[in-house]
Amino acid sequence: MADVVVLATADWEHPIWTNKQHVAISLAESGFRVLYLDSLGLRPARATGRDLKRIIKRFWRGLCPPRRVRQNVWVWSPLVIPGGSGNFVIWINKLSLAFGLGLALRSLGFRKPWLWTYNPLTASILDLESFSLRIYHAVDAVQEQPCMPRALIEPEERRLCGEVDQVFVTSPELKRKLSPYSRHIRFDPNVADQAHFSKAMSLPMSSIPADIASISEPRIGFICAVRSYKLDF
């Protein structure tokens, strides 16, 4: 089995897990060894206590070697300047990432690994030729999120689609937008953990919370990350 570097846009310990963590686990369960890279920070840091705590935590972890979090899964936090869009900052980040990632790969014995990236700026910060297989997994139009550098993300994402071996997208709209820039693109919609959620079918009716039981049937539930910029409340 090959070794895989997963370049995520969410930290491993984020309280709401998405495609990135689940794909890393699925790869590991299939026999791959996985090095999960915490988010490089697409948006600039803000003057908030939350961002300050995150910067301090990331700086400390960036000085540490990859930590094993599961069987065949290691996590490493790169030392980069978040939200850097200028040429000089991008150059600094590329240099720091190349040096740190090289050390991390050597420490784990990864040789010519695959790259599975969620970051649309990957082509500007990593040497894609150093990976034996390159996959871009487009799970969202990240440029639509608040404070994202749209002018930088859109052309870099198109460039990335043309340089990787495979592009996966999670919506027909993403496929429509990115198809002109990729020779190999495939639509794979988001899924649910059927084994996990089907457990609800075996629960007795008495276990339904009172505030839900009082709602007339049929009832529809939604389990996901709801953000104000995605939904008009």
Side-chain angles (χ1 to χ4, degrees), residues 97-174:
L97 184 58
F99 178 75
L101 181 58
L103 291 178
L105 294 177
R106 281 195 291 274
S107 70
L108 297 174
F110 281 31
R111 294 178 177 83
K112 203 69 173 175
W114 292 4
L115 174 67
W116 193 302
T117 181
Y118 293 87
N119 190 321
L121 305 182
T122 301
S124 66
I125 54 178
L126 276 181
D127 177 14
L128 298 181
E129 295 301 320
S130 63
F131 299 93
S132 58
L133 184 72
R134 299 157 290 272
I135 297 168
Y136 174 46
H137 197 168
V139 298
D140 205 350
V142 296
Q143 67 271 23
E144 302 294 342
Q145 299 176 13
C147 305
M148 289 295 180
R150 174 191 290 272
L152 175 64
I153 290 176
E154 289 187 340
E156 283 297 327
E157 183 175 47
R158 295 166 187 166
R159 172 188 167 197
L160 177 63
C161 287
E163 296 186 9
V164 296
D165 301 294
Q166 178 68 53
V167 176
F168 293 117
V169 296
T170 56
S171 77
E173 177 62 16
L174 285 173

Side-chain angles (χ1 to χ4, degrees), residues 17-171:
W17 275 25
T18 56
N19 312 64
K20 300 90 179 176
Q21 293 94 337
H22 289 297
V23 164
I25 290 175
S26 295
L27 288 169
E29 290 177 346
S30 298
F32 295 90
R33 294 196 306 161
V34 178
L35 175 60
Y36 183 100
L37 272 57
D38 281 335
S39 172
L40 304 183
L42 287 171
R43 66 166 178 81
R46 293 173 291 193
T48 64
R50 180 180 177 183
D51 275 10
L52 179 59
K53 289 179 181 178
R54 186 182 178 195
I55 289 172
I56 294 173
K57 185 177 181 180
R58 283 294 301 272
F59 179 77
W60 168 249
R61 285 192 166 169
L63 300 176
C64 300
R67 60 190 188 279
R68 183 178 176 181
V69 293
R70 294 202 177 202
Q71 179 71 26
N72 287 338
V73 180
W74 291 263
V75 175
W76 178 60
S77 301
L79 280 177
V80 294
I81 301 171
S85 56
N87 291 335
F88 179 71
V89 175
I90 291 176
W91 179 78
I92 290 293
N93 283 347
K94 185 173 183 177
L95 191 66
S96 176
L97 184 58
F99 178 75
L101 181 58
L103 291 178
L105 294 177
R106 281 195 291 274
S107 70
L108 297 174
F110 281 31
R111 294 178 177 83
K112 203 69 173 175
W114 292 4
L115 174 67
W116 193 302
T117 181
Y118 293 87
N119 190 321
L121 305 182
T122 301
S124 66
I125 54 178
L126 276 181
D127 177 14
L128 298 181
E129 295 301 320
S130 63
F131 299 93
S132 58
L133 184 72
R134 299 157 290 272
I135 297 168
Y136 174 46
H137 197 168
V139 298
D140 205 350
V142 296
Q143 67 271 23
E144 302 294 342
Q145 299 176 13
C147 305
M148 289 295 180
R150 174 191 290 272
L152 175 64
I153 290 176
E154 289 187 340
E156 283 297 327
E157 183 175 47
R158 295 166 187 166
R159 172 188 167 197
L160 177 63
C161 287
E163 296 186 9
V164 296
D165 301 294
Q166 178 68 53
V167 176
F168 293 117
V169 296
T170 56
S171 77

Side-chain angles (χ1 to χ4, degrees), residues 159-211:
R159 172 188 167 197
L160 177 63
C161 287
E163 296 186 9
V164 296
D165 301 294
Q166 178 68 53
V167 176
F168 293 117
V169 296
T170 56
S171 77
E173 177 62 16
L174 285 173
K175 185 176 182 181
R176 184 191 67 79
K177 289 176 60 178
L178 299 178
S179 286
Y181 311 103
S182 173
R183 295 167 296 172
H184 303 284
I185 188 167
R186 173 171 152 170
F187 166 51
D188 280 294
N190 285 318
V191 299
D193 187 340
Q194 192 272 341
H196 172 74
F197 289 107
S198 64
K199 295 175 184 176
M201 302 301 293
S202 62
L203 296 175
M205 291 297 291
S206 60
S207 65
I208 299 178
D211 58 342

